[in-house]
Amino acid sequence: FNRDSNRAGYSGSFACTNILNLTTAEVQTYFGTGALCSFTSTTSLKVTFGSSATVVPDDEFMLKDRVLQTSTSGASLFTMNETFVIGNPSNPTTPSLSLTASST
């Protein structure tokens, strides 16, 4: 986020459906079974993938309306119609392959 937020009142890990405009089934499809969200700072939301995640760079998602707010003193407005695009991983995992064959 481009400004400090109130972290939507959350600390630690929480269900991504609490902040993202997605159903539980959509979270499981995109982020995998067991995925969780957390704030790493007042400006960064982290999604920890579960098993079988399918999300890829350039996928677009939307924050829930009226959940996230700036932490600026006296602020009264909440986010509305806010979308974000998934970027490339900063440290991608390189897959490896091992093939074993029988000698007979």
Side-chain angles (χ1 to χ4, degrees), residues 8-79:
Y10 294 107
S11 62
S13 297
F14 54 90
C16 294
T17 54
N18 293 352
I19 195 161
L20 300 178
N21 194 21
L22 295 171
T23 65
T24 300
E26 290 170 326
V27 168
Q28 288 180 348
T29 298
Y30 289 113
F31 303 136
T33 303
L36 291 170
C37 283
S38 61
F39 283 94
T40 58
S41 71
T42 57
T43 58
S44 296
L45 176 68
K46 174 183 174 182
V47 176
T48 302
F49 294 151
S51 61
S52 303
T54 62
V55 68
V56 294
D58 297 324
D59 281 350
E60 185 174 76
F61 296 96
M62 180 179 263
L63 294 172
K64 280 189 171 180
D65 290 342
R66 299 184 186 111
V67 173
L68 191 65
Q69 183 181 33
T70 182
S71 62
T72 302
S73 177
S76 61
L77 298 176
F78 288 83
T79 55

